[in-house]
């Protein structure tokens, strides 16, 4: 190492070219590298989710969970399998052995699950995905003294607009209840028609299903047949036939029951500024920049605010990009002060040329560190910025310590120290 530094000290052109290369590489990396509030961390888990409408937890366990567990249990790379069966759906969580190729195992799990053809007909297709920790960037609140349905509709529309913004791909609505169709039948009406709630429930469940109907094979192609019968809104349920008489007359659900669109019976109330609200959580994913995601959302909110209906307002809160940006400003501020102190002190007591070259070693050291970030799979985040701030004081001290060394020799040593 001493021989290399001595060679650069004697060959000024090579040292200057190295300096320019480090500065250029550091600037390009700083402009293109991923910016996030906290570094990403993989959970090394795979989730298999299956919806089974109307099924009890025991039915979900027998009809879905056990079949998936038996199929994937023999795959290599699985450390542990945890399953949860609830009313209407089941989840199988696979913990992957540390260091195993999770992408390869994910493909193998998908292939094994797709081979299962004994799921109940009412069950939906399984969804296999890698569990990742999503990083929130900023939250958007839509609030006002308006019906809950209006807030939910506006929130979903704004969410779709946000996910269509350049550089933003993931957002979700939070703080509102899930919609449901509510069916109310008086006891007297049930007795009049000789029905029970269980019978009506079964009729409604069977009339609102998407059912596979097999395959049609032809020469050179294969067609999948599926009946689309699921209903989503109250007017569709009102036309369900409950009773069919021999004379051809029919009694529909709308004739014996009050059917309306509503929300699930759940104790959930979200308020912002003292008013009912719906919240949109905006996330940063993959290589997206937290600062760019927040800037795009802020610009959109400012643009849409005047177009909202009367009585509805929109605001931003929990902007986590501000924390990241404040730390970047702190680093730049401290670096500027360090450069000024080194330049002024050396310029007063020695000469301006020496002061310039020694002070230049500070940004070159940080540029060299940034240059190595992509190779080390490191991003600019709160932790790496904190490390930069800590090292800044050491680099400034080294700048003063090396004033007796040849200027280019000192400059090279700073870069080596930072690396």
């Amino acid at each position: 190492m001493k021989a290399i530094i001595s060679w650069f000290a004697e060959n000024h052109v090579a040292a200057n070219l190295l300096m320019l290369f480090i500065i250029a590489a550091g600037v390009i990396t700083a402009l293109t590298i991923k910016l996030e509030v906290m570094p990403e961390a993989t959970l090394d888990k795979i989730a298999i989710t299956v919806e089974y409408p109307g099924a009890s937890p025991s039915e979900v366990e027998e009809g879905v969970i056990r079949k998936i567990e038996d199929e994937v249990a023999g795959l290599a790379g699985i450390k542990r399998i945890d399953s949860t069966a609830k009313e209407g759906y089941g989840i199988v969580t696979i913990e992957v052995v540390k260091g195993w190729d999770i992408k390869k195992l994910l493909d193998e799990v998908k292939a094994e699950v797709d081979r299962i053809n004994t799921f109940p007909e009412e069950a939906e297709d399984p969804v296999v995905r890698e569990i990742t920790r999503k990083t929130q960037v900023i939250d958007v609140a839509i609030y006002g003294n308006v019906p809950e349905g209006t807030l939910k509709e506006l929130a979903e529309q704004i969410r779709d607009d946000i996910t269509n913004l350049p550089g933003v791909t993931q957002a979700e609505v939070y703080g509102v209840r899930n919609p449901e169709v509510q069916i109310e039948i008086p006891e007297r009406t049930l007795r009049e028609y000789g029905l029970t709630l269980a019978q009506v429930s079964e009729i409604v469940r069977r009339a609102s299903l998407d059912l596979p109907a097999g395959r049609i094979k032809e020469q050179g192609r294969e067609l999948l047949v599926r009946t689309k019968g699921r209903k989503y809104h109250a007017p569709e349920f009102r036309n369900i036939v409950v009773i069919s008489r021999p004379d051809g007359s029919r009694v529909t659900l709308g004739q014996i029951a009050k059917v309306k669109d509503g929300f699930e019976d759940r104790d959930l109330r979200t308020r912002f500024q003292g008013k009912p609200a719906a919240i949109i959580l905006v996330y940063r994913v993959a290589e997206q920049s937290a600062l760019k995601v927040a800037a795009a959302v802020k610009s959109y909110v400012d643009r849409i605010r005047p177009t909202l209906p009367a009585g509805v307002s929109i605001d931003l809160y929990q902007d986590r990009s501000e924390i990241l940006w404040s730390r970047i400003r702190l680093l730049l501020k401290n670096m500027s002060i360090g450069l000024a102190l080194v330049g002024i002190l050396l310029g007063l007591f020695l000469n301006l040329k020496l002061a310039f070259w020694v002070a230049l070693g500070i940004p070159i050291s940080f540029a060299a560190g940034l240059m190595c970030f992509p190779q080390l799979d490191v991003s600019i985040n709160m932790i790496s910025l904190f490390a930069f701030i800590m090292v800044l004081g050491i680099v400034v001290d080294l700048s003063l310590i090396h004033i007796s060394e040849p200027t280019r020799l000192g400059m090279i040593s700073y870069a080596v120290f930072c690396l």
Side-chain angles (χ1 to χ4, degrees), residues 169-398:
T169 57
Q170 190 167 16
E172 63 181 30
V173 178
Y174 172 80
V176 292
R177 294 181 293 174
N178 294 325
E180 68 177 13
V181 177
Q182 299 174 350
I183 302 174
E184 300 176 3
I185 309 176
E187 183 180 356
R188 183 183 62 183
T189 303
L190 290 173
R191 292 176 178 173
E192 180 181 346
Y193 288 95
L195 296 171
T196 64
L197 284 176
Q199 290 175 327
V200 176
S201 175
E202 181 64 18
I203 291 171
V204 171
R205 187 179 68 82
R206 291 183 175 275
S208 179
L209 286 176
D210 291 342
L211 293 176
R215 304 177 181 180
I216 300 177
K217 291 185 177 181
E218 295 183 358
Q219 186 174 1
R221 64 174 181 170
E222 182 178 87
L223 300 177
L224 298 179
V225 182
R226 187 176 181 87
T227 303
K228 304 288 288 185
R230 172 156 297 187
K231 298 172 175 56
Y232 297 94
H233 302 287
E236 299 172 329
F237 281 88
R238 294 191 185 104
N239 297 324
I240 294 176
V241 177
V242 179
I243 299 176
S244 296
R245 298 190 177 97
D247 59 0
S249 61
R250 300 183 301 176
V251 177
T252 63
L253 185 64
Q255 293 174 318
I256 65 172
K258 182 179 179 182
V259 185
K260 62 180 181 180
D261 290 317
F263 294 91
E264 61 183 353
D265 187 12
R266 180 182 170 195
D267 189 13
L268 175 63
R269 298 291 183 271
T270 305
R271 305 186 76 83
F272 185 84
Q273 302 289 1
K275 299 178 181 179
I279 308 299
I280 300 175
L281 310 179
V282 184
Y283 299 92
R284 183 208 64 78
V285 296
E287 300 300 317
Q288 294 174 349
S289 166
L291 298 181
K292 291 181 180 178
V293 169
V297 173
K298 291 176 184 177
S299 176
Y300 169 78
V301 169
D302 291 338
R303 186 170 67 252
I304 198 178
R305 185 177 281 116
T307 65
L308 292 176
V312 179
S313 302
I314 185 170
D315 273 315
L316 302 167
Y317 77 106
Q318 290 189 357
D319 183 4
R320 296 159 184 84
S321 67
E322 285 294 331
I323 305 173
L324 177 62
W325 183 235
S326 64
R327 183 152 293 184
I328 293 175
R329 287 198 300 264
L330 177 62
L331 174 62
L332 295 176
K333 177 183 175 182
N334 290 355
M335 185 181 294
S336 301
I337 294 174
L339 281 170
L341 288 175
V342 171
I344 292 173
L345 289 175
L346 296 184
L348 287 176
F349 296 101
L350 296 175
N351 61 72
L352 293 178
K353 183 178 179 181
L354 177 62
F356 170 78
W357 284 108
V358 173
L360 192 60
I362 298 175
I364 292 175
S365 301
F366 283 89
L370 281 171
M371 181 179 64
C372 299
F373 270 28
Q375 287 71 31
L376 300 175
D377 195 23
V378 178
S379 65
I380 296 180
N381 53 67
M382 297 293 289
I383 296 177
S384 61
L385 288 172
F386 176 75
F388 266 147
I389 293 173
M390 293 288 291
V391 171
L392 178 60
I394 301 174
V395 175
V396 171
D397 290 342
L398 285 174

Side-chain angles (χ1 to χ4, degrees), residues 47-66 68 82-93 119-120 122-127 129 178 205 230 264 266:
I48 307 169
T49 306
V50 181
E51 292 191 16
Y52 188 180
S56 65
S58 60
E59 290 174 328
V60 172
E61 182 182 9
E62 292 297 328
V64 176
I65 298 294
R66 290 191 181 278
I68 295 176
D82 295 318
S83 302
T84 302
K86 295 186 178 181
E87 184 177 351
Y89 71 96
I91 300 176
V92 178
T93 304
F119 285 135
E122 297 82 1
E124 299 290 339
D125 293 334
V127 177
R129 61 183 178 85
N178 294 325
R205 187 179 68 82
R230 172 156 297 187
E264 61 183 353
R266 180 182 170 195

